Amino acid sequence: MEPFPSDRIQLPRNMIENSMFEEEPDVVDLAKEPCLHPLEPDEVEYEPRSSRLLVRGLGEHEMDDDEEDYESSAKLLGMSFMNRSSGLRNNMSIYRQNPNGSCSVPSMRTMVVCTVVLVIAVSLIMAIYLLPKCTFTKEGCRKKNHTMELIYPLATNGKLFPWAKIRLPPDVVPLHYDLVLQPNLTTLKFAGSVKIVVNIIQVTWKIVLHSSGLNITKATITSAGGHQAKPVEFLEYPLHDQIAVMAPEALLVGQNYTVNIEYSSNLSDTYYGFYKISYKDENSKQRWFAATQFEPLAARSAFPCFDEPAFKATFLIKIKRDEKLSTLSNMPKKATTPVTNGIVQDEFFVSLKMSTYLVAFVVADLKNISKETNGSLVSVYAIPQHLNQVGYALNTAVKLLEFYQKYFLINYPLEKLDLVAIPDFQSGAMENWGLITFRETTLLFDSNTSSARDKKLITAVIAHELAHQWFGNLVTMEWWNDLWLNEGFATFMEYFAMEEIFPELHSDEDFLNLIFKAMMKDSLNSSRPVSSAVQSSEQIEEMFDALSYIKGASLLLMLQRYLTKDVFQAGIEVYLHNHNYGSAQSDDLWDSMNEITNGTLDVKKLMKTWILHKGFPLVTVVRKGKIISVQQEKFLYRVEPENWTSDASYLWHIPLTYITSSCNFTRCTNAYLLDQKSAVIELPEEVEWIKFNVDMNGYYIVHYAEDWKTLIGLLKKNHTALSPKDRANLINNIFNLASLGKESLEKAFELIDYLNKESSTAPLTQALFQLSLIYSLLEKKGEQQLAARVMHRIEHLLGDKIDQQRWTDDGTLSERELRSTLLAFACTHDMRNCRTTATEMFKKWMKSNGTMSLPSDVMKAIFTAGSKSSDGWQFLLKMYSSSVSEAEKSKMIEALASTEDVRKLIWLMQNSLEGEVIRAQELSHIIATVSQSLPGYLLAWDFVKENWEKLTRKFHLGSYTIQNIISSSTSQFATKAHLLEVKSFFESKSEESSQLHCVKEAIDTIQLNIQWMEKNLAKLQELL
């Protein structure tokens, strides 16, 4: 999945030890219940008291050794834990009741005997409870005590639910699904039935699978040889989205059974599951569209299924629809048959073996164009009025598909590949096998209104999703902890493929900027390892972040450059061939690489230091003559010393690269593996300068100590001695080191003094980014004069460059993109005469009633200037409502959100949340834009607070959209009052909200902002 430019679970406090001694109602004797599988207590889920039942006994035939030992202990004590309450009642019998109802006092002998027995019993119980990890048995203390107490939850009907873990039991696996669906785009409901063929791995009486929000009306089971479906009881446990089908008899190992379930539900009004979308057709009439988004956990809301990535199966899908509409699914259509008046059924060919999250279907009025390549038909679909914008996507998809087939040496395995533009879509795109769904702005290219940047975005997203057809679809991560295997690889391949096929797009510059931003996130204490243990839905949603995508991709880039492209490619081929149609873990990838390196390098040992640990290293370089001393430590901003987790002793295995003044071409790159805390590199001769981390191909920051002066001098004298990426890398590193306190801010400003000679996009963009961060912090802190001086410094460095920009679409794609960036910035900050020129062009466009053609690369700057006036804003909103170009509408939205009129900003956010004039898919982008401005940054945070429940219902807690909303609405804060407010707000919400990584990251960021201001405010007064 392409997000749009979006540790183990903590146990509740009511721990098992406390509940053991609480009074309980009569406890269920499970010997009377069907055969239930015991739980391993280290994997037990602890539920709130209201939703769980304590079980202190198991059916005889289900006991394992540990339970037998436990029962033996109970028998030795002469007591049964299966019925404690009845035992207590029996013990009361020493008090004899007189006929008149009064109790006679027991004899002294009875009292003494009872006291002794009680003391012995209590002592033995305490010994059993307190012996560390030991069960008292006939043979003595010989086994770890795993089953002191087992916890099962209650189903919705009050009965015991036979499973308590979030993960499904491994005793049943699905082989095949027959799915029939009938969506009704008038009532906005759907009915469905699913037949699931399952295979039994361990004898069981239950089949536990996922279901969420489905109204199940009937469930039956049929054995492999049987012809009669037997009705079965089913239990529901909504907290884990699980249902249990209780078989009438034991299900036998190795046998296949068919579970048949009938159900109905509403089409979702969120962006998850089988959801509904409304749009206006060419005649401005409202139409409905139904589409799916199942990753990560929403297939279960469209049909009951084993909704975990490792449970792969084949799928036969049939969809009943209005004959005026069309349907698409993963596979080509096999047949269409009439059902009733006006309703037909489409049947699709049986799919390949795949995970549930990749299943997809669309029901809508769509048009398409197609092209065949290598036996597969590639088609791009859109609503009819957008059909003239799909040509670029089709040609791009064909080129990329051909490239990937050659690179992986595995043909795309399906006969068709559909790319569909969805009118309302939360992510950038979704890689469903054979049916990739896209947001319209990431698929549709309009030659009149799409800019160079729009073309690059569309190309990148298509490249990402097509890479997934191999990485993710053919070979899938076993569980969500290794999501980076899907997303990191698809991101890496996206940029690698674009460099190979579309070098004119300079996509490597975009990747560089993304790596810089991922490192900002990864430098916080709230970061996480790329491969992290996850269980809950919020934790799984949060894995879709910059660490899985960008850090994962940059680690693969670093490995590729270290191994060489050929060795890396050979390792990928082995990995895909070894695990096709199956699941994999991180180690499987490293093992495949090791097959190629054949003992010359232990890739697993190297990469585990990066994948299983959060953060990244800071490498300090000291040069004395020919001797280069290098030393590594963790790069980490310390915001709260009491909460800071020290990793001082941690060692990365760092593939260092460097170039020197004696030979600074890429072919002269030297490599050195730093797998110790420090090392010494001896050069063959003395050099004038040395630059480490060539082209930023490594995931680390470099501190040059005394050599910063040398590099600053080099940039002033001959900046082209280093590549544009190396220059951007130096700018990024020195500003980060200044924030860390390792270098002075003065030296950082000194380094960028050369920029008036710079003409490359990467270093200019990075410098603008770093200075904009400082400007924003000062502006929001109320330091307006100092903020104006920062802007004056930017104008001094880049003013001539801004003046040189022409208001046209001329030049190379890289030049055009730089023009967009510089003019949009200049107009936003009223620099030079940018806003005057842009306003004049906007007025002419407005006078032509929007018919005049504007240069696409400067369109955003023109719209932004125009939106500053009330009339201009209203006209822009009117044009937004009638425009058929998604590229144009995207630029309009950003301009509308740039107004300084507070009432308009509030209306814009509220309207987008409701999805009336502006779609909810735009809300995250609107909030981010509003947050940038001085009038808007407090409004955006207030809006998030007031609408938190609506936001998390629409976009799901932990989702990429929620991560972006939290980050953008709080990242401008730099006061202790705001820090306390943000902390208090999330603490007042659910535990799931307060424990989100993105919330901790937001708090870390505010603390860093406060710290930065305290350290640097006085210095800035002197510097500027």
Side-chain angles (χ1 to χ4, degrees):
M1 185 162 62
E2 177 80 12
F4 198 71
S6 148
D7 299 328
R8 290 196 181 278
I9 188 167
Q10 286 193 330
L11 302 176
R13 295 182 195 88
N14 52 339
M15 295 295 287
I16 190 168
E17 290 81 15
N18 299 334
S19 63
M20 288 174 73
F21 298 99
E22 293 172 12
E23 279 301 315
E24 295 286 347
D26 284 358
V27 183
V28 176
D29 182 347
L30 287 188
K32 298 171 187 168
E33 291 289 310
C35 170
L36 301 172
H37 286 279
L39 296 172
E40 291 296 328
D42 57 343
E43 293 174 302
V44 162
E45 301 301 325
Y46 297 88
E47 304 302 344
R49 193 141 196 86
S50 60
S51 69
R52 65 181 170 87
L53 186 63
L54 302 184
V55 179
R56 298 190 177 83
L58 294 164
E60 295 170 11
H61 50 295
E62 278 275 342
M63 277 196 183
D64 63 19
D65 292 343
D66 287 348
E67 274 91 45
E68 286 173 10
D69 289 345
Y70 186 53
E71 192 188 49
S72 302
S73 308
K75 284 177 181 172
L76 280 174
L77 293 170
M79 59 193 297
S80 167
F81 284 87
M82 287 172 65
N83 204 342
R84 183 175 65 176
S85 52
S86 62
L88 288 171
R89 286 194 293 272
N90 293 341
N91 288 343
M92 293 296 288
S93 62
I94 58 170
Y95 289 87
R96 305 289 179 208
Q97 196 172 29
N98 288 334
N100 62 6
S102 64
C103 290
S104 64
V105 179
S107 68
M108 182 61 70
R109 181 172 175 242
T110 305
M111 291 286 283
V112 170
V113 170
C114 287
T115 303
V116 171
V117 169
L118 190 60
V119 168
I120 292 168
V122 169
S123 301
L124 284 167
I125 293 166
M126 292 304 289
I128 290 169
Y129 278 55
L130 299 177
L131 273 173
K133 298 180 181 176
C134 178
T135 303
F136 187 74
T137 69
K138 293 169 188 171
E139 293 78 24
C141 178
R142 67 170 178 82
K143 274 209 159 191
K144 284 186 178 179
N145 175 9
H146 282 304
T147 51
M148 288 302 290
E149 186 166 302
L150 302 173
I151 301 177
Y152 286 101
L154 292 177
T156 50
N157 62 0
K159 290 190 177 183
L160 203 63
F161 192 80
W163 191 247
K165 302 179 197 175
I166 290 178
R167 300 279 298 270
L168 295 179
D171 48 11
V172 179
V173 295
L175 301 177
H176 176 75
Y177 294 78
D178 272 3
L179 177 62
V180 181
L181 287 164
Q182 183 165 4
N184 187 321
L185 296 188
T186 304
T187 63
L188 303 178
K189 297 177 185 295
F190 69 95
S193 68
V194 64
K195 290 180 181 176
I196 313 172
V197 179
V198 298
N199 181 254
I200 308 303
I201 306 299
Q202 297 170 9
V203 174
T204 184
W205 291 69
K206 67 182 186 301
I207 297 173
V208 180
L209 63 160
H210 288 112
S211 171
S212 177
L214 301 177
N215 175 30
I216 296 174
T217 51
K218 185 180 177 184
T220 62
I221 192 166
T222 313
S223 61
H227 300 291
Q228 191 172 358
K230 296 177 182 176
V232 289
E233 181 186 19
F234 65 91
L235 304 170
E236 297 180 275
Y237 185 48
L239 196 65
H240 288 171
D241 290 343
Q242 289 173 356
I243 58 171
V245 174
M246 308 306 295
E249 57 196 18
L251 304 174
L252 305 177
V253 173
Q255 294 295 306
N256 290 353
Y257 297 85
T258 302
V259 179
N260 187 7
I261 300 173
E262 295 175 13
Y263 61 96
S264 62
S265 190
N266 295 320
L267 289 168
S268 172
D269 55 6
T270 71
Y271 289 107
Y272 292 85
F274 194 15
Y275 73 100
K276 60 179 186 277
I277 301 156
S278 75
Y279 68 97
K280 299 276 176 63
D281 66 13
E282 302 102 313
N283 305 315
S284 296
K285 183 183 172 187
Q286 186 186 43
R287 302 288 299 272
W288 288 95
F289 188 123
T292 57
Q293 171 58 45
F294 289 162
E295 189 180 33
L297 308 171
R300 63 191 69 176
S301 63
F303 59 101
C305 57
F306 294 77
D307 201 9
E308 292 180 8
F311 284 119
K312 292 191 168 188
T314 55
F315 295 81
L316 171 61
I317 294 171
K318 298 175 185 175
I319 298 177
K320 296 174 183 175
R321 57 160 172 101
D322 186 311
E323 62 185 359
K324 294 173 190 163
L325 300 173
S326 57
T327 61
L328 297 170
S329 187
N330 305 83
M331 301 300 291
K333 202 172 288 180
K334 184 180 180 182
T336 300
T337 51
V339 179
T340 56
N341 283 344
I343 301 293
V344 296
Q345 176 175 279
D346 291 330
E347 179 180 342
F348 298 88
F349 284 100
V350 176
S351 77
L352 299 175
K353 197 175 172 188
M354 64 182 184
S355 305
T356 47
Y357 78 85
L358 294 169
V359 173
F361 27 90
V362 170
V363 183
D365 177 16
L366 294 168
K367 302 289 183 202
N368 72 289
I369 60 171
S370 304
K371 189 182 281 190
E372 190 166 334
T373 176
N374 201 29
S376 295
L377 186 67
V378 181
S379 305
V380 183
Y381 287 83
I383 56 176
Q385 61 261 44
H386 287 158
L387 189 63
N388 63 341
Q389 298 174 40
V390 302
Y392 177 75
L394 180 63
N395 292 329
T396 302
V398 168
K399 284 179 189 173
L400 284 160
L401 194 66
E402 289 168 353
F403 170 77
Y404 285 139
Q405 291 183 120
K406 286 176 190 168
Y407 185 81
F408 298 134
L409 293 182
I410 297 176
N411 282 341
Y412 173 71
L414 304 183
E415 289 178 14
K416 64 99 174 174
L417 175 64
D418 297 334
L419 294 78
V420 186
I422 308 282
D424 200 7
F425 197 75
Q426 183 180 344
S427 306
M430 175 62 209
E431 68 266 20
N432 317 298
W433 215 350
L435 179 60
I436 308 175
T437 46
F438 292 78
R439 186 183 282 221
E440 288 182 321
T441 46
T442 62
L443 192 67
L444 304 178
F445 182 84
D446 179 1
S447 54
N448 295 319
T449 58
S450 294
S451 64
R453 187 173 294 165
D454 294 328
K455 178 178 272 192
K456 192 185 280 193
L457 172 67
I458 291 165
T459 312
V461 176
I462 294 172
H464 184 97
E465 302 310 328
L466 261 64
H468 269 310
Q469 305 304 298
W470 287 265
F471 282 99
N473 300 8
L474 186 67
V475 180
T476 313
M477 79 265 139
E478 200 167 284
W479 180 243
W480 301 106
N481 64 306
D482 275 331
L483 176 69
W484 83 274
L485 277 178
N486 278 20
E487 298 301 351
F489 245 117
T491 306
F492 168 78
M493 289 306 303
E494 156 192 346
Y495 288 104
F496 178 67
M498 285 173 73
E499 258 186 275
E500 295 288 316
I501 310 171
F502 307 103
E504 72 281 2
L505 292 178
H506 295 282
S507 58
D508 53 333
E509 292 173 357
D510 294 302
F511 190 31
L512 188 69
N513 287 324
L514 289 173
I515 293 170
F516 290 148
K517 287 174 184 174
M519 290 179 97
M520 285 176 70
K521 180 186 177 82
D522 203 19
S523 63
L524 303 174
N525 198 36
S526 52
S527 186
R528 63 166 181 83
V530 169
S531 183
S532 301
V534 289
Q535 277 215 38
S536 72
S537 60
E538 296 82 19
Q539 290 172 333
I540 291 167
E541 289 275 10
E542 278 209 287
M543 291 298 282
F544 292 82
D545 67 358
L547 299 175
S548 291
Y549 284 75
I550 312 304
K551 183 178 179 179
S554 57
L555 295 180
L556 291 169
L557 172 67
M558 181 170 69
L559 181 63
Q560 184 208 39
R561 295 303 158 93
Y562 187 58
L563 293 178
T564 73
K565 288 185 178 181
D566 291 346
V567 171
F568 183 83
Q569 183 178 355
I572 286 179
E573 288 166 10
V574 170
Y575 171 75
L576 289 173
H577 278 96
N578 286 353
H579 301 283
N580 59 6
Y581 302 105
S583 303
Q585 301 175 354
S586 295
D587 278 358
D588 296 319
L589 176 62
W590 313 139
D591 289 339
S592 299
M593 294 288 177
N594 277 342
E595 281 187 41
I596 304 301
T597 59
N598 199 23
T600 55
L601 174 73
D602 188 343
V603 176
K604 186 187 286 187
K605 188 178 177 185
L606 169 78
M607 293 308 292
K608 276 194 164 186
T609 68
W610 296 91
I611 295 295
L612 300 178
H613 198 72
K614 68 182 182 181
F616 55 87
L618 166 64
V619 177
T620 301
V621 176
V622 178
R623 180 169 62 101
K624 287 183 182 174
K626 294 193 295 183
I627 302 300
I628 311 294
S629 301
V630 289
Q631 181 175 315
Q632 65 162 293
E633 61 187 290
K634 180 163 187 171
F635 185 102
L636 179 70
Y637 293 114
R638 305 188 191 192
V639 285
E640 281 189 58
E642 67 274 14
N643 291 339
W644 185 66
T645 50
S646 175
D647 296 278
S649 61
Y650 190 79
L651 283 177
W652 282 268
H653 290 193
I654 312 170
L656 298 176
T657 55
Y658 60 93
I659 51 173
T660 68
S661 55
S662 63
C663 186
N664 59 350
F665 298 107
T666 309
R667 65 175 182 274
C668 299
T669 301
N670 301 281
Y672 181 87
L673 185 64
L674 179 63
D675 55 3
Q676 301 296 320
K677 182 81 177 165
S678 60
V680 171
I681 302 169
E682 188 173 351
L683 301 178
E685 59 186 342
E686 283 198 33
V687 294
E688 290 176 34
W689 54 263
I690 187 166
K691 161 71 174 69
F692 274 79
N693 200 359
V694 179
D695 281 345
M696 184 68 195
N697 287 332
Y699 192 74
Y700 55 94
I701 279 178
V702 184
H703 179 28
Y704 292 94
E706 293 305 309
D707 256 10
W708 276 115
K709 286 178 188 172
T710 311
L711 290 166
I712 289 168
L714 175 67
L715 289 175
K716 285 180 179 172
K717 187 175 66 177
N718 180 22
H719 68 280
T720 55
L722 297 173
S723 71
K725 285 196 280 189
D726 273 332
R727 302 195 296 268
N729 177 224
L730 289 176
I731 294 168
N732 172 269
N733 282 195
I734 200 163
F735 274 95
N736 275 302
L737 290 164
S739 295
L740 196 64
K742 292 267 186 185
E743 258 310 338
S744 67
L745 202 55
E746 185 179 7
K747 201 168 277 184
F749 274 91
E750 197 184 338
L751 184 137
I752 58 171
D753 273 344
Y754 89 95
L755 281 177
N756 50 16
K757 295 184 290 184
E758 182 63 80
S759 57
S760 294
T761 305
L764 285 169
T765 306
Q766 182 55 206
L768 206 51
F769 175 76
Q770 295 294 343
L771 293 171
S772 296
L773 285 179
I774 295 171
Y775 171 81
S776 292
L777 278 181
L778 292 169
E779 183 195 39
K780 309 304 185 298
K781 191 81 163 47
E783 297 284 345
Q784 306 303 335
Q785 282 188 331
L786 202 49
R789 276 146 68 185
V790 171
M791 203 48 67
H792 180 71
R793 173 63 73 98
I794 295 173
E795 189 170 351
H796 170 71
L797 291 170
L798 303 179
D800 290 346
K801 195 72 58 198
I802 291 166
D803 290 340
Q804 290 163 16
Q805 303 305 314
R806 296 187 305 277
W807 293 77
T808 64
D809 285 340
D810 300 339
T812 65
L813 282 167
S814 189
E815 288 167 350
R816 291 173 59 190
E817 195 169 2
L818 181 61
R819 178 185 301 141
S820 291
T821 302
L822 290 175
L823 290 179
F825 182 86
C827 283
T828 300
H829 297 285
D830 202 8
M831 199 177 280
R832 301 288 175 149
N833 63 348
C834 181
R835 198 176 281 183
T836 308
T837 308
T839 304
E840 284 172 8
M841 293 181 80
F842 183 83
K843 284 177 180 173
K844 287 178 186 172
W845 179 71
M846 194 166 146
K847 199 173 179 182
S848 75
N849 202 27
T851 57
M852 184 181 106
S853 181
L854 293 173
S856 59
D857 293 327
V858 294
M859 195 181 277
K860 190 171 88 171
I862 294 166
F863 289 161
T864 302
S867 71
K868 299 299 177 189
S869 73
S870 184
D871 286 350
W873 195 90
Q874 292 294 349
F875 180 73
L876 209 53
L877 182 64
K878 185 186 99 175
M879 293 305 295
Y880 174 85
S881 303
S882 60
S883 174
V884 292
S885 164
E886 291 304 315
E888 185 178 56
K889 288 173 86 167
S890 178
K891 297 173 186 70
M892 288 174 174
I893 276 289
E894 201 163 330
L896 289 167
S898 301
T899 179
E900 290 167 10
D901 187 324
V902 169
R903 287 168 303 175
K904 288 184 171 69
L905 293 175
I906 293 169
W907 180 88
L908 205 59
M909 291 187 286
Q910 197 61 52
N911 190 277
S912 180
L913 178 59
E914 290 159 7
E916 296 291 324
V917 179
I918 296 155
R919 294 194 180 282
Q921 68 178 14
E922 308 294 349
L923 182 58
S924 167
H925 190 42
I926 290 170
I927 290 173
T929 307
V930 170
S931 298
Q932 291 300 312
S933 71
L934 188 59
Y937 86 111
L938 293 175
L939 283 181
W941 169 238
D942 285 343
F943 176 82
V944 171
K945 286 189 296 181
E946 287 163 17
N947 295 281
W948 180 248
E949 277 70 29
K950 286 181 185 174
L951 289 168
T952 52
R953 193 163 55 246
K954 182 76 178 174
F955 300 112
H956 283 213
L957 206 55
S959 68
Y960 198 79
T961 304
I962 291 293
Q963 292 175 47
N964 282 344
I965 287 171
I966 291 172
S967 171
S968 62
S969 63
T970 59
S971 63
Q972 308 284 308
F973 295 155
T975 66
K976 288 179 179 172
H978 277 133
L979 174 64
L980 183 62
E981 186 182 329
V982 172
K983 275 184 172 178
S984 302
F985 172 75
F986 286 110
E987 282 168 5
S988 73
K989 298 301 166 188
S990 66
E991 189 178 356
E992 290 84 5
S993 296
S994 62
Q995 291 304 311
L996 289 173
H997 270 299
C998 55
V999 169
K1000 293 174 183 174
E1001 183 189 319
I1003 290 164
D1004 273 1
T1005 302
I1006 299 168
Q1007 287 172 324
L1008 269 179
N1009 291 345
I1010 294 168
Q1011 190 175 293
W1012 194 94
M1013 293 296 284
E1014 287 171 352
K1015 277 185 187 175
N1016 294 300
L1017 202 55
K1019 289 177 191 170
L1020 278 170
Q1021 300 275 11
E1022 293 171 25
L1023 271 174
L1024 301 170

